[in-house]
Amino acid sequence: FEELRNSGALSLAEEITSSGNMDDYQNGSDDNAAKTNAETVAQNQIDSNLESHYSNIIDSANAPIFGVDTKGRVNVWNRCAVRLVGYSVDEVMGHYLVKEFITSDYQASVQAVLDRALHGDETANFEFPLMTKEGARIEVLLNATARRNPAGTIIGVVGIGQDITSRIAQEREYSKLIDTANAPIFGVDTHGKVNVWNQCAMRLVGYSSEEVMGHSLVEEFITKDYQASVQAVLDQALHGEETANFEFPLMTKGGVRLDVLLNATTRRNEQGNVIGVVGIGQDITAHLAQEREYSKLIDTANAPIFGVDTQGRVNVWNQCAKDLVGYTIDEVMGKKLVEEFITDDFKTAVQAVLDQALSGQETANFEFPLITKAGARIEVLLNATTRRDEQGNVIGVVGIGQDI
């Protein structure tokens, strides 16, 4: 109203209706009739100024804005719409928006949006295509709002659009990359319902996209013993806390259990709002089976075998080592090998052998003493070998010994 007052739209109303000045407009007529006439003139001036102000805002907006009357004929078409679609105001005014400018496959749905708005039911974020004058198809995101006259009667619909053609093209490329990736990729929405399921996931697990889309990932495809932990990973990602290298099992359509290594990443829309989680997986079933076989061979070997991580803490201790030294697995796991089980006079030398192996320099036939649980000293001949993960990173040392 301050803008209207400054523009003069309210000055006439204030002048006419101010007390003590009505006589200037009566001209001998009845006071009430003169007042009514004056107020009508003032209101018409206000409405005219409002309409002009409203039209200027629409026409200069940096978003495409169009409007239709109750018959669906175009009566608003701003400059941004002209630039985007290519039709001038003269070429569209009075023409039927849906029949003449919407692709045939979307005419029914666009008409339904307009009809709802004409009944006061407005629509936000409706996607539909528009054909340009040159015949190109552009994707538009639309907010459709009922347009009313000063009396509140609906007189048409105003649509404020956003050109999302580039965004849609990007999304399609993103979807194509996901679908053809050679790693199983799945995604869930904020309710944990599957909305991404690529071809590799389909081949791995056996379920088609149609069989999983819209279903609860955790409740329907995760083994019960892992449902809580997988749900926790998804919940963390939905709060922006991503997880790497999380191991969990998936059940295939044939009932086989697969072991998967997962990176769970937060998925966001253009506004930065979290809309779900994308998980990029790796089938480590064969790898874990290999590790189990490896562990079994180590555990049943007829030579004492121990291993340490990069911090020198015991993480491998086979049956023969247990029989030789007397300590159980529970008594040594996580303990510092050198500090707790090597005699003082050999601690420096043994630590040097481990450090060399952690640097990739392996040692053969190194003699050193071990103290048994009973306090006896035994002499061991050791081969120290670097232990690496699948990527070739050093993760520790394995020592194969011989009681000499």
Side-chain angles (χ1 to χ4, degrees), residues 369-389:
L370 269 176
I371 302 299
T372 69
K373 189 174 182 180
R377 173 178 169 140
I378 54 175
E379 301 295 330
V380 175
L381 189 67
L382 178 73
N383 288 348
T385 305
T386 307
R387 191 177 183 190
R388 301 176 185 271
D389 62 16

Side-chain angles (χ1 to χ4, degrees), residues 62-172:
N62 60 0
I65 300 177
F66 64 85
V68 295
D69 60 21
T70 56
K71 303 296 185 184
R73 294 171 299 209
V74 177
N75 58 5
V76 175
W77 193 260
N78 76 343
R79 283 180 285 185
C80 189
V82 171
R83 291 193 299 270
L84 182 65
V85 187
Y87 291 104
S88 67
V89 174
D90 293 338
E91 290 176 305
V92 296
M93 282 296 182
H95 289 259
Y96 288 96
L97 176 73
V98 173
K99 290 180 183 177
E100 300 183 48
F101 302 101
I102 305 297
T103 59
S104 57
D105 53 330
Y106 268 82
Q107 286 183 356
S109 56
V110 173
Q111 188 61 57
V113 167
L114 297 180
D115 289 343
R116 286 199 298 267
L118 287 171
H119 287 87
D121 184 8
E122 300 176 348
T123 300
N125 299 326
F126 174 71
E127 293 184 20
F128 74 102
L130 268 176
M131 298 306 293
T132 70
K133 190 174 181 178
E134 300 299 322
R137 173 177 167 141
I138 55 176
E139 306 292 335
V140 175
L141 189 67
L142 176 75
N143 288 351
T145 306
R147 188 179 183 189
R148 301 173 187 270
N149 64 15
T153 303
I154 293 175
I155 58 171
V157 180
V158 172
I160 301 175
Q162 179 187 350
D163 179 10
I164 57 170
T165 310
S166 297
R167 192 196 83 186
I168 294 292
Q170 261 185 340
E171 285 185 353
R172 289 186 183 127

